[in-house]
């Protein structure tokens, strides 16, 4: 194969890197997890055209030309520490070291979003450099991994990214929403509005054919990705205006958080505004006179609760159907810019590189079980995005410098 550039019918420019791959070699597996990052004493290549999903997207990983590639450094230490735990090890993380296992370089601007596939074979990253890149997680070990595919159809920095894995498509937002094919990076459709720009973007677990976006005129708009049409919209209620910074959704509700610190929760069935509140008003002592109200991110949990990060380290757990504060998490001295969950664990990352893990977080336990600082040699620049590899118990962190690191 060779590289190529072409345009889609809606003007999306794509650049795809497909390189020549070596002949298939015999491979023996000695997995330490039951998912994608498969560790072997000899880091032999997998099938050179490994199929990820229903014969779609064949990766050509030519950067592993040596079939006897040895695990070295951090990979060697990590393999040794995990090899005795067996392929079905599902114990929670007890300690993060902040050590970088792998670096992914290619973006020229800050990383805005990271999205990992359910199988953990690959992930997507979006950036201020107006591109979305796809990276393989199948074979790692080199100092840096090149991207497998780049979508370069955006005209502005990207603010939202959703991997629509059942449809093998991606939705990315830069003020308009681009719907594109994950295998070819062909732009299928663009959703745009002449009256308002789109901001936050989210998929809906209970409605696979719809995605929702927030608009600059404070609407929650639903887009049908199958019919490529506008479905309906509901009005948000944010006192004092501003813009929506984050969305989180569950089967029956969707939560929208404005940068000024207000949360709206709407019923997904009828569009009724269930509750509106400001976390800092309910979760901070009245004596706090100089609290930063800015809402940074929202995250829905598997049990149907909502996590919010506001101001300089206020991380709270809510029952969204009642706007009820369940718990405030201790141990955060800086603004938490990224939230994610890994099983029963809550993982929080701050811009200064501090990563904190709370165990059994929905049981309202106070003390974090692990706090580590990711050093600048492991991740250059302020931490701007995060995603978890739950099966492999690893973290992906993106920074304002454009670097992405796989952290253990």
């Amino acid at each position: 194969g060779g590289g190529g550039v072409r345009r889609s019918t809606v003007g999306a420019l794509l650049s795809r890197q497909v390189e020549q791959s070596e002949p298939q070699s015999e491979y023996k597996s000695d997995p330490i997890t039951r998912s994608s990052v498969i560790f072997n004493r000899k880091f032999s290549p997998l099938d050179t055209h490994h199929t990820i999903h229903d014969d779609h997207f064949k990766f050509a990983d030519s950067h592993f030309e040596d079939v006897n590639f040895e695990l070295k450094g951090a990979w060697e230490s990590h393999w040794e520490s995990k090899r005795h735990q067996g392929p079905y090890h599902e114990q929670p993380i007890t300690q993060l070291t902040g050590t970088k296992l792998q670096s992914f370089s290619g973006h020229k601007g800050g990383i805005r979003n990271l999205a990992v596939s359910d199988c953990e074979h690959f992930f997507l990253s979006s950036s201020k450099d107006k591109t979305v890149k796809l990276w393989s997680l199948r074979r790692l070990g080199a100092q840096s991994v090149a991207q497998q595919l780049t979508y370069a159809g955006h005209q502005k920095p990207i603010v939202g990214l959703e991997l629509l894995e059942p449809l093998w498509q991606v939705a990315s937002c830069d003020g308009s929403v681009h719907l594109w094919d994950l295998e070819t990076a062909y732009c299928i459709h663009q959703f745009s509005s002449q009256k308002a720009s789109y901001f936050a973007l989210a998929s809906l677990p209970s409605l696979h054919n719809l995605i929702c976006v927030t608009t600059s005129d404070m609407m929650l708009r639903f887009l049908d990705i199958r019919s490529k049409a506008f479905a309906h919209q509901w009005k948000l209620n944010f006192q004092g205006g501003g813009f929506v910074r984050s969305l989180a959704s569950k089967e029956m509700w969707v939560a929208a958080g404005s940068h000024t610190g207000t949360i709206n929760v709407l019923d997904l069935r009828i569009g009724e505004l269930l509750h509106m509140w400001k976390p800092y008003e309910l979760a901070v002592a009245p004596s706090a006179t100089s609290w930063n109200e800015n809402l940074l991110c929202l995250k829905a949990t598997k049990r149907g609760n909502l996590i919010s990060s506001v101001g300089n380290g206020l991380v709270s757990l809510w029952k969204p159907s009642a706007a009820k504060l369940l718990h405030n998490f201790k141990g955060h001295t800086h603004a938490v810019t990224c939230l994610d969950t890994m099983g029963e664990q809550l993982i929080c990352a701050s811009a200064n590189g501090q990563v904190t893990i709370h165990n059994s977080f929905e049981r309202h336990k106070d003390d974090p079980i692990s706090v580590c600082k990711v050093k600048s040699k492991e991740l250059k620049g302020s931490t701007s995005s995060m995603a978890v590899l739950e099966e492999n118990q690893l973290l992906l962190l993106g920074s304002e410098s454009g670097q992405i690191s796989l952290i253990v």
Side-chain angles (χ1 to χ4, degrees), residues 37-57:
V37 183
I38 300 179
F39 300 84
N40 300 278
R41 186 68 176 180
K42 296 286 187 179
F43 214 90
S44 302
L46 302 177
D47 183 354
T48 56
H49 285 292
H50 176 76
T51 300
I52 287 182
H53 176 79
D54 295 339
D55 296 326
H56 285 301
F57 205 89

Side-chain angles (χ1 to χ4, degrees), residues 346-359:
L346 169 64
I347 303 178
C348 306
S350 302
N352 69 342
Q354 178 175 301
V355 179
T356 305
I357 298 179
H358 298 271
N359 204 22

Side-chain angles (χ1 to χ4, degrees), residues 63-64 102-106 135-136 139-148:
H63 53 278
F64 282 97
Q102 196 72 50
S103 180
F104 302 86
S105 301
W135 313 82
S136 173
R139 294 187 301 170
L140 303 174
Q143 290 184 352
S144 183
V145 175
Q147 68 268 16
Q148 298 290 326

